[in-house]
Amino acid sequence: MQPAVKAPPLGAQVDYRSLVVVLLSPLAFALVFASWTIFAVLGVELKHVLHFGEVQFALLLAMPMFTGALAALPMAALARRVGGRRVMIGCLLLICPFLWAIAYSDAYLEFLLAGAGLGLGAGSLAAGLVYVAALCPRRHAGLALGLYGAGMLGAGLTYFLLPLISQAYGWPMAPKLYLLPVLLVALLLWVFAEDAPRKDSLSAEALDEFAPPPEHVRVRRRWLPPPAVCRLALYYSFFYGAFVALALWLPGYLAAQYQLSLKLAALWALTFTLPGGVGQIAGGALADRRDFRDLRWWVSACVMVCLFLLSYPDFTMQIHGVHGDLTLHFSMPLYGFTALLAVMGLAMGIGKGSLMCLLHREYGDDMVRSGGLALALGGLFAAVLPLMFVLGNEWIGVRTAGFMFLYAALAVCMLVMLWDGTRSRSRSASSTPTQAD
């Protein structure tokens, strides 16, 4: 009689599965985001080839964000039903024909429809969020979600590679070359990743370690999420939407504002996206130890100061002095502009990472609706911003009007945070005498 082989403990299996998910999910996120930002660089070139205006260019940038926002909640719900891994693979495969179609499009409407198809890749983002949240250990949830959100660094891949590919082989080759890594990551997810384990199959120890919902908070199953979830999703929508919109808009803005070539403008835009990815990881790790409620005012204040400085257009002011007229001229230098972008990108990344960790900590038992709602609102905000940037250029006549709009939007979010904090303190104060009695 041979001795029975001892099965590996469940915790080791979950650790292996979590490691694979933490490595592959951000890579899938990065490729989807890189596909979205194709038009951030390619659209500037197409604008000259197809002779369409700024409004059409803004619609081209906004279309993936809009359809992605519509797809976020349904795909998150589908991920809970059939598994996040399968939905991620399906969404990666779904964007492949639209990448291929971009290479053979020659009319504006065709590019617009292809952009709408690329937006369906947001289902991979929402499904991956549910997938990572289900597998990551609760004590490291912020770090795992921050690593996943750092997939926005995929914009840097587009900034760096697409101008080189377009210059060497022509712009139709760029979307074709994106197909290979997308298909490769889908294959790796299919072969090496596993579905999240069902709760009824886990031991008590594993449930205590890996089950996301806190025991003192249970979100009731209903169609509309609680107001607290909506407020957190509103905060997240600003950081997520503003970051995505600026990542799409900055190459064209820098090229026009500072008379740079498209290649140099895309490289300068990396000063915003790279700190944003690093900040996402740092924010998630900080949120594992501290509550976002302690960080949100510092992060928001930092972003507000940067937006205030970036909102200043070039101007000349003449002062009638005692001994004659004094002329003052202000023009934001490129180095100062990119330094402010780097600080703001880092702060936005910290805000996104810590907020997503807070959503997981407080409402992890309903991550489909809480995380999906945050991505949906952020996608809608990101879709509106390119149009607001264009309206600032065309109607107001000031190129920095987009930063002014972001400044106003952040002020609204901070007022909501102030009202929320005041309301929470009044509730705790009113409950203190009851507890004392």
Side-chain angles (χ1 to χ4, degrees):
M1 183 176 179
Q2 296 181 353
V5 179
K6 186 178 180 181
L10 181 60
Q13 297 175 10
V14 178
D15 285 340
Y16 164 76
R17 182 165 38 242
S18 303
L19 180 61
V20 172
V21 171
V22 167
L23 292 177
L24 291 181
S25 296
L27 191 55
F29 188 170
L31 290 174
V32 171
F33 199 70
S35 299
W36 285 356
T37 51
I38 279 181
F39 291 125
V41 179
L42 188 61
V44 178
E45 186 174 347
L46 293 176
K47 187 165 59 173
H48 299 293
V49 174
L50 300 179
H51 306 289
F52 56 81
E54 292 292 335
V55 176
Q56 288 82 2
F57 176 59
L59 286 174
L60 191 62
L61 295 181
M63 186 55 69
M65 304 298 106
F66 179 71
T67 55
L70 297 181
L73 274 169
M75 290 298 181
L78 185 63
R80 182 174 61 185
R81 181 176 297 271
V82 303
R85 180 180 68 100
R86 296 175 183 176
V87 176
M88 289 182 69
I89 294 172
C91 291
L92 288 174
L93 296 178
L94 186 61
I95 66 174
C96 290
F98 296 102
L99 286 171
W100 187 266
I102 292 174
Y104 294 97
S105 299
D106 54 6
Y108 175 75
L109 182 59
E110 295 176 353
F111 286 106
L112 201 63
L113 292 176
L118 291 180
L120 298 177
S124 176
L125 311 185
L129 184 64
V130 176
Y131 190 28
V132 173
L135 286 174
C136 63
R138 196 190 311 165
R139 67 176 184 273
H140 299 306
L143 180 59
L145 293 171
L147 286 170
Y148 177 70
M152 286 188 175
L153 291 174
L157 181 68
T158 296
Y159 292 163
F160 183 73
L161 291 180
L162 200 145
L164 299 177
I165 297 171
S166 179
Q167 183 179 1
Y169 304 103
W171 67 262
M173 182 59 66
K176 290 181 181 179
L177 292 180
Y178 275 55
L179 287 171
L180 181 60
V182 169
L183 292 173
L184 179 59
V185 171
L187 178 63
L188 291 175
L189 282 171
W190 179 263
V191 174
F192 293 104
E194 299 180 24
D195 293 323
R198 297 179 59 89
K199 289 184 179 181
D200 52 10
S201 66
L202 295 178
S203 63
E205 293 80 9
L207 277 173
D208 183 67
E209 175 67 16
F210 292 95
E215 296 184 3
H216 65 283
V217 176
R218 294 291 178 182
V219 179
R220 289 178 292 175
R221 304 295 180 184
R222 54 190 176 186
W223 287 105
L224 293 177
V229 176
C230 296
R231 288 193 294 269
L232 288 177
L234 176 66
Y235 307 151
Y236 185 85
S237 68
F238 172 82
F239 292 111
Y240 175 80
F243 187 90
V244 172
L246 287 174
L248 292 170
W249 187 255
L250 278 176
Y253 178 91
L254 289 169
Q257 180 72 9
Y258 295 100
Q259 290 78 48
L260 300 175
S261 66
L262 186 57
K263 179 180 177 181
L264 282 177
L267 290 177
W268 278 108
L270 287 172
T271 58
F272 176 72
T273 56
L274 291 181
V278 174
Q280 185 100 356
I281 301 172
L286 285 173
D288 284 330
R289 295 169 174 81
R290 297 178 62 88
D291 198 333
F292 176 72
R293 296 176 182 87
D294 298 332
L295 293 172
R296 59 182 176 177
W297 290 109
W298 295 101
V299 171
S300 301
C302 180
V303 175
M304 179 163 276
V305 170
C306 293
L307 287 173
F308 178 79
L309 297 175
L310 291 171
S311 298
Y312 265 90
D314 298 344
F315 66 89
T316 300
M317 182 171 60
Q318 191 173 23
I319 302 174
H320 300 290
V322 177
H323 303 290
D325 293 343
L326 299 175
T327 302
L328 299 178
H329 177 72
F330 172 80
S331 179
M332 178 68 73
L334 178 60
Y335 291 103
F337 184 84
T338 52
L340 288 172
L341 284 181
V343 174
M344 186 172 67
L346 180 64
M348 283 184 173
I350 293 174
K352 287 184 296 177
S354 54
L355 257 176
M356 188 53 67
C357 180
L358 181 60
L359 277 170
H360 179 269
R361 181 186 302 137
E362 299 292 335
Y363 306 101
D365 58 336
D366 200 9
M367 200 63 183
V368 170
R369 286 191 305 168
S370 58
L373 179 65
L375 291 178
L377 292 179
L380 290 175
F381 187 57
V384 170
L385 286 179
L387 296 175
M388 298 304 302
F389 294 163
V390 168
L391 292 180
N393 290 350
E394 300 296 324
W395 291 0
I396 303 176
V398 178
R399 197 181 299 276
T400 59
F403 296 109
M404 300 178 189
F405 178 77
L406 287 176
Y407 182 88
L410 179 57
V412 172
C413 287
M414 293 183 73
L415 288 175
V416 174
M417 285 192 293
L418 180 62
W419 173 78
D420 191 16
T422 305
R423 186 181 178 187
S424 300
R425 286 192 297 270
S426 63
R427 282 184 176 180
S428 61
S430 61
S431 62
T432 302
T434 304
Q435 293 175 358
D437 295 339

